Amino acid sequence: MNPFDIPIQALLGQLLIGLVNGSFYAMLSLGLAVIFGLLGIVNFAHGALYMMGAFGAWILMDRFGLNYWYALLLVPLMIGALGVVIERIFLKRLYKLDPLYGLLLTFGLALIAEGIFRDQYGVSGQSYNVPDALQGATDLGFMVLPNYRAWVVLASLSTCLGTWFVIERTRLGATLRAATENPQMVQAFGINVPVMVMLTYGAGAALAALAGVLAAPVIQVTPLMGSNIIIVVFAVVVIGGMGSILGSVLTGLALGLIEGLTRVIYPEASNIVVFVIMAIVLVLRPAGLFGKEH
Amino acid sequence: MAPAMESVVSIRGLNAWYGESHILHGVDLDVRKGEVVTLLGRNGAGRTTTLRAMMGLTGARTGSINVNGMETIQFAPHRVARLGIGYCPEERGIFASLTAEENLMLPPRLSSSVGGEPVQAMSVAEIYAMFPNLQERAHSPGTRLSGGEQQMLAVARILRTGARLLLLDEISEGLAPVIVQKLAEVILTLKRSGYTILLVEQNFRFAAPLADRFYVMEHGKVVLEFAQAQLPAHMNTLNELLGV
């Protein structure tokens, strides 16, 4: 297919979907980068936390009649609290061990969570309606923009920007950066680093859950949605390089867009394009585009 | 010398390990209020480990470390720091991902009173008056500063918290004579304002005029203790112990 024959509407439509997916990649890889930085744990449970975020929204609606806006607030808090519990019970025992143990443990937790939700809700998927206030679409003249998708991009970009601001521009963030470098030294200054580590994991979990709530109306809420996205998100993290907040956000968005573009130009490759890019980046810049060589 | 009533730090029978290695073998040491005390000894004698053990940064510890009348042997590092101890490690501990000013602001100020006494912390303006270079370099990444500037930053950082007991590990190491001189002046200024300071020093010439008392360590134990006035009488023994 000649790329110049592609109708502009289809192109923009796919790019928008790419941007929405990219927003989820960005939010998830951001949390992964922060958790890896401070805890040294490759959090394979991140996809499961995202999945539980989406299910949380669906359950609140289905069982308790609480709408989307309540879910947006409550679900990240609940999953964040779950993250704190996971850190206290499991992760804090692993910090002195090889990172492989953290990876295996969180992978196991993800499988357990996925299994429980499969058992309870099956794999066919639940649908979650777009909230009333964000239904419909806006005609921009050159394309029709569904309101909810615009909201997802806006909400996740502001979340990423907010997280970046907190980490790079505030005292709390300075403490977090310092603890990532040398936790012992920070603790010797009177800061309770173990509590900070616990809350960081909770915040990372809450971020994943927030992405899950945002995703609920645009995808099928299924127990497998976590493992579907997490592999791509890890590829995003590898491409962007661990340790750079802005890097992981930009890489997430860019790869979403590239995926969307590929879907228009050569749809067969859209599922693998991220991994092809990952392979190329690994050959040329093993530390990732924004990563620092150690 | 019997431990006086006003001991700020009183260490008895301190043993400390790093993993399997037994480093300290029963250290006894006192630091009284307003004193400058220097720990001398060869490399590997256990001086740095003594400071680290006080902060709770070693592996297992046994014995007693009393700070302001409180037993701290079971304390995690952050609780020790909150008793009003400022620790400046040998490697300086300047953070690369923080600017000089972020490094300076990192340690939280102590709560308004420690051990029943109101905390008087140095203000940022006072610190910049003491170390003008730090103000010029405020927005540079911490590890872009010169060695001397980093050392001043590491000392300044703990002064801002209001800590009155300072543990300073090899602060003169590897620095130009003019900077070593500056640090000596800083120590004297702090001493005059009533700070209590425990120095670990390799540089005997730097430490000799500053300290009220000296401890000499060897093989993880204190082997000699004497006051400033007894320094000339101990020079021969010191030469032997330190190889200076």
Side-chain angles (χ1 to χ4, degrees):
Chain A
M1 182 189 215
N2 180 346
F4 296 103
D5 292 342
I6 297 165
I8 189 83
Q9 292 288 341
L11 179 68
L12 290 175
Q14 285 300 336
L15 282 182
L16 179 65
I17 292 175
L19 200 58
V20 169
N21 286 336
S23 307
F24 296 136
Y25 299 159
M27 281 181 81
L28 292 174
S29 60
L30 176 67
L32 277 179
V34 172
I35 290 172
F36 181 76
L38 193 60
L39 286 76
I41 282 189
V42 179
N43 187 30
F44 251 85
H46 221 63
L49 295 166
Y50 162 79
M51 176 271 286
M52 286 191 271
F55 261 102
W58 182 79
I59 291 168
L60 282 187
M61 178 76 96
D62 191 58
R63 294 274 173 80
F64 304 98
L66 290 173
N67 70 24
Y68 178 80
W69 305 104
Y70 284 106
L72 213 51
L73 185 72
L74 292 177
V75 173
L77 287 177
M78 293 188 299
I79 301 294
L82 177 68
V84 164
V85 172
I86 291 173
E87 199 277 340
R88 279 295 95 166
I89 297 180
F90 300 110
L91 301 182
K92 74 164 186 178
R93 299 167 206 282
L94 302 178
Y95 299 141
K96 287 176 183 158
L97 302 177
D98 190 283
L100 199 57
Y101 288 93
L103 191 152
L104 287 173
L105 184 115
T106 51
F107 185 53
L109 290 176
L111 289 180
I112 292 171
E114 208 177 280
I116 291 172
F117 278 86
R118 261 169 105 148
D119 181 53
Q120 291 290 310
Y121 302 102
V123 287
S124 57
Q126 319 289 340
S127 61
Y128 187 90
N129 288 335
V130 171
D132 293 341
L134 295 170
Q135 268 174 2
T138 309
D139 193 347
L140 297 177
F142 57 94
M143 71 176 292
V144 177
L145 177 68
N147 291 342
Y148 188 78
R149 293 189 181 216
W151 154 253
V152 168
V153 174
L154 200 72
S156 61
L157 281 188
S158 356
T159 309
C160 290
L161 206 67
T163 311
W164 173 83
F165 183 83
V166 168
I167 291 176
E168 296 295 336
R169 291 286 180 271
T170 66
R171 266 200 70 140
L172 176 70
T175 311
L176 199 72
R177 273 177 286 143
T180 300
E181 258 185 71
N182 185 348
Q184 270 206 336
M185 193 64 224
V186 172
Q187 197 172 0
F189 285 146
I191 293 162
N192 194 340
V193 173
V195 164
M196 197 167 119
V197 165
M198 174 185 89
L199 294 178
T200 300
Y201 190 77
L207 213 55
L210 182 64
V213 179
L214 287 172
V218 282
I219 54 163
Q220 286 284 313
V221 178
T222 94
L224 299 177
M225 62 186 270
S227 30
N228 290 342
I229 198 168
I230 198 69
I231 301 300
V232 180
V233 171
F234 272 112
V236 168
V237 171
V238 170
I239 294 168
M242 281 286 189
S244 162
I245 303 295
L246 217 50
S248 55
V249 173
L250 290 178
T251 314
L253 289 172
L255 287 174
L257 283 174
I258 291 172
E259 254 186 358
L261 206 60
T262 316
R263 219 172 286 125
V264 187
I265 299 169
Y266 187 56
E268 292 83 348
S270 65
N271 285 332
I272 59 159
V273 64
V274 171
F275 301 101
V276 172
I277 294 173
M278 180 179 86
I280 295 170
V281 167
L282 279 178
V283 170
L284 299 179
R285 276 189 68 107
L289 296 178
F290 299 88
K292 295 181 193 91
E293 307 272 351
H294 286 289
Chain B
M1 227 178 280
M5 284 299 289
E6 74 275 41
S7 272
V8 178
V9 177
S10 177
I11 297 176
R12 291 292 172 271
L14 177 63
N15 283 264
W17 287 260
Y18 283 117
E20 299 283 300
S21 335
H22 190 174
I23 311 289
L24 300 183
H25 299 262
V27 173
D28 295 325
L29 183 154
D30 285 278
V31 185
R32 297 194 262 282
K33 198 170 175 185
E35 257 189 334
V36 175
V37 172
T38 298
L39 282 182
L40 299 167
R42 288 202 174 97
N43 277 335
R47 299 165 304 148
T48 292
T49 306
T50 303
L51 297 193
R52 290 181 57 89
M54 288 174 71
M55 293 308 299
L57 294 172
T58 59
R61 295 177 290 169
T62 63
S64 162
I65 304 173
N66 201 297
V67 177
N68 292 325
M70 198 173 296
E71 180 55 59
T72 66
I73 193 82
Q74 301 288 347
F75 278 23
H78 63 275
R79 292 188 60 203
V80 178
R82 287 175 192 172
L83 295 174
I85 302 186
Y87 170 57
C88 177
E90 189 173 8
E91 71 281 6
R92 295 172 192 148
I94 300 300
F95 297 97
S97 58
L98 275 63
T99 64
E101 192 157 88
E102 281 176 327
N103 267 286
L104 181 63
M105 300 303 184
L106 179 70
R109 278 180 192 260
L110 295 164
S111 51
S112 55
S113 80
V114 168
E117 282 185 52
V119 168
Q120 317 148 279
M122 277 176 81
S123 70
V124 175
E126 284 172 304
I127 283 171
Y128 280 150
M130 195 179 239
F131 305 102
N133 287 21
L134 295 184
Q135 187 158 25
E136 287 166 30
R137 306 299 305 271
H139 301 292
S140 307
T143 46
R144 291 281 175 81
L145 273 60
S146 71
E149 287 168 335
Q150 288 190 34
Q151 188 61 67
M152 290 180 194
L153 178 56
V155 174
R157 190 163 61 173
I158 52 178
L159 295 176
R160 201 194 60 89
T161 65
R164 300 291 287 179
L165 168 59
L166 310 180
L167 312 183
L168 309 178
D169 197 349
E170 299 280 13
I171 57 167
S172 72
E173 195 181 21
L175 298 179
V178 54
I179 296 168
V180 174
Q181 183 57 37
K182 165 78 186 170
L183 286 167
E185 285 162 23
V186 167
I187 302 268
L188 287 172
T189 309
L190 294 174
K191 185 179 172 181
R192 274 196 297 274
S193 358
Y195 282 80
T196 308
I197 300 173
L198 180 55
L199 287 173
V200 161
E201 267 304 327
Q202 190 82 303
N203 184 344
F204 181 71
R205 283 171 211 284
F206 173 77
L210 298 175
D212 299 305
R213 271 186 317 122
F214 299 86
Y215 285 96
V216 184
M217 290 190 71
E218 205 170 48
H219 306 308
K221 272 187 200 140
V222 169
V223 291
L224 184 65
E225 182 211 339
F226 58 91
Q228 173 74 34
Q230 299 160 289
L231 184 57
H234 282 93
M235 275 316 285
N236 282 338
T237 334
L238 273 182
N239 280 333
E240 219 170 274
L241 285 169
L242 305 176
V244 285

